[in-house]
Amino acid sequence: MAPAWFSQIYEFGTQGVPEGERYRLRVGNLLAAMGVAISLGYCFFYLLVLDSVSAFVVNLVCTLGYFSYFAIVRAGHPKLARLAVSLVFLIQILLLVLLFLSRHSGVQLYFIITAPIAFILFEARDRTLRLALAAISLVFYFIAELVPSLALVGELEPSLYRAIVLANIAVVSLVILLIQAAFLDEIDRRELALQHLARTDQLTGLLNRRAMLEWSEAQVSQSARHAQPLTVLMIDIDHFKPINDEHGHVAGDRTLVEVANAMRQIMRLGDQLGRFGGEEFVALLPQTDSVAARSVAEKLRERIAALSVMLPAGVAIRCTVSLGLASLRPGESTIDPVLSRADMAMYQAKAQGRNRCILYDDRVGPEGTKPEP
């Protein structure tokens, strides 16, 4: 697990930002923080080892440039911040090679990582910006290779040059590894997000129909294997269409969210609640017989009947639900027949006046009706 300070830097400015932009912000944060650390290291190296005040000042200014990235992000201009940190990096490396150290130092190696970083920092619609930064890094690389350096720090010992080259190779490798780690971290985040989207109803946050069916099949298999009871509740909001017709679909969506939240509060540990579509929900109660499930269903019904959904205009919407209950029969190995019986019981609740719970009885059908064949 990353230290708290690293997480704070890595996630700086990402709150409330779209997911795609968060990734670029995280990489920008990482690069800016590394720029500060590496540039400060160069400051002390030039001052204490090479005794060059001018090189110290140049690197100190560049260090402040990396620091400015975070100020620009805080001001709400993340793309400008990423552009600024990229330009500071390119200019700093070019100045180091042309003014203070020769190409034998290997500092120009940093230009190699600029092009791929530019494609990570900016999105596809910023193609011109990506290409411009990649072209600048390429031009700067050849300038550093072909133009003689002023070598203001003087001629260095071969052993010191070798140490500088090895240090630069190590730092470039570290930058590549960290960027790769950030990229892989983003892939994991995207994969988890896609899995969540594929299994979750985006309006209510409950499991969607597909995920609910998958989870139900697993629970049925377990219940059948261990001879444990299992009960399904089919739940439908009464008179939902008039809510949409009279108050609009925004009011209907808000009602669905409030009803889902109210039911979520009643669900016990181990129960699962999902939205099957429209105004219909399904609750699965493992290790629960019909008597205990009836108690849960009544709590759900009473909780929703007492619910008052407030609209922005100050209008309060009241609603009720009809519930059908059915339990797993001995010998059943799939959820489909249980859902079918619960659905029959729910429609019987509708027929008997709504705002009620009906239990499907294997002997007499939905509480007094003729049972299914």
Side-chain angles (χ1 to χ4, degrees):
M1 182 177 293
W5 61 265
F6 180 84
S7 297
Q8 290 176 356
I9 294 174
Y10 192 54
E11 298 293 339
F12 181 84
T14 59
Q15 293 76 16
V17 175
E19 188 58 37
E21 181 68 9
R22 287 182 194 176
Y23 167 55
R24 295 178 180 84
L25 261 177
R26 292 186 186 110
V27 174
N29 294 345
L30 186 60
L31 290 174
M34 292 182 66
V36 170
I38 296 171
S39 189
L40 277 176
Y42 272 119
C43 283
F44 292 110
F45 172 76
Y46 281 112
L47 186 63
L48 301 178
V49 178
L50 302 184
D51 195 27
S52 174
V53 176
S54 58
F56 169 80
V57 171
V58 168
N59 279 276
L60 185 60
V61 171
C62 291
T63 303
L64 296 176
Y66 293 121
F67 265 121
S68 69
Y69 164 89
F70 297 100
I72 300 173
V73 169
R74 185 180 290 277
H77 305 288
K79 185 184 295 186
L80 179 60
R82 295 196 296 272
L83 177 60
V85 78
S86 301
L87 293 176
V88 169
F89 175 76
L90 289 170
I91 293 170
Q92 180 185 24
I93 300 305
L94 186 65
L95 291 177
L96 290 180
V97 176
L98 294 184
L99 297 181
F100 305 109
L101 293 173
S102 72
R103 61 180 178 273
H104 301 298
S105 65
V107 175
Q108 69 275 18
L109 292 174
Y110 286 103
F111 288 128
I112 297 174
I113 63 175
T114 305
I117 288 176
F119 278 79
I120 293 175
L121 286 179
F122 301 97
E123 52 192 328
R125 63 182 178 181
D126 298 319
R127 185 178 304 167
T128 303
L129 195 54
R130 285 175 166 180
L131 294 175
L133 287 173
I136 291 172
S137 66
L138 185 62
V139 170
F140 280 12
Y141 175 79
F142 282 108
I143 291 175
E145 284 288 343
L146 299 175
V147 177
S149 172
L150 295 178
L152 297 179
V153 297
E155 190 63 30
L156 304 180
E157 293 290 332
S159 58
L160 186 54
Y161 265 128
R162 179 174 175 78
I164 295 174
V165 170
L166 292 176
N168 288 330
I169 292 174
V171 172
V172 170
S173 300
L174 177 62
V175 171
I176 292 174
L177 287 174
L178 288 176
I179 296 301
Q180 183 182 42
F183 182 72
L184 294 176
D185 175 68
E186 184 62 20
I187 290 178
D188 290 341
R189 290 173 185 263
R190 296 292 179 90
E191 185 175 351
L192 290 174
L194 287 174
Q195 290 177 0
H196 179 74
L197 286 172
R199 297 178 56 82
T200 306
D201 173 61
Q202 294 305 293
L203 179 64
T204 62
L206 302 176
L207 291 184
N208 59 22
R209 185 186 186 96
R210 176 184 174 184
M212 192 66 187
L213 288 173
E214 290 177 355
W215 194 85
S216 299
E217 291 294 354
Q219 291 301 313
V220 166
S221 177
Q222 180 176 330
S223 297
R225 185 166 55 252
H226 298 287
Q228 296 174 333
L230 178 146
T231 303
V232 168
L233 312 183
M234 189 72 74
I235 308 156
D236 192 85
I237 301 177
D238 298 325
H239 303 297
F240 184 73
K241 187 176 183 300
I243 295 176
N244 278 329
D245 294 342
E246 295 175 19
H247 303 285
H249 288 282
V250 173
D253 288 348
R254 181 149 188 176
T255 301
L256 289 169
V257 171
E258 293 290 342
V259 168
N261 289 338
M263 291 192 293
R264 192 184 280 113
Q265 294 170 6
I266 301 298
M267 291 292 100
R268 308 160 307 168
L269 184 65
D271 296 342
Q272 188 61 266
L273 180 65
R275 183 184 176 195
F276 248 39
E279 66 273 22
E280 192 173 63
F281 301 84
V282 169
L284 193 73
L285 282 57
Q287 302 181 29
T288 306
D289 59 22
S290 58
V291 176
R294 184 65 177 262
S295 175
V296 175
E298 283 295 339
K299 290 179 181 179
L300 285 172
R301 186 191 63 78
E302 293 172 0
R303 175 70 179 85
I304 295 169
L307 184 67
S308 180
V309 181
M310 297 299 301
L311 301 182
V315 178
I317 296 177
R318 306 295 294 269
C319 64
T320 59
V321 292
S322 297
L323 301 96
L325 291 73
S327 296
L328 182 69
R329 292 173 175 174
E332 288 182 331
S333 59
T334 67
I335 193 63
D336 290 341
V338 190
L339 288 172
S340 178
R341 294 194 298 273
D343 195 53
M344 290 176 61
M346 184 269 291
Y347 276 106
Q348 188 63 28
K350 295 277 190 186
Q352 292 185 16
R354 296 180 171 83
N355 189 25
R356 66 192 63 227
C357 305
I358 295 293
L359 171 66
Y360 190 98
D361 190 301
D362 287 339
R363 295 166 300 175
V364 297
E367 293 189 350
T369 65
K370 183 179 179 180
E372 64 176 345

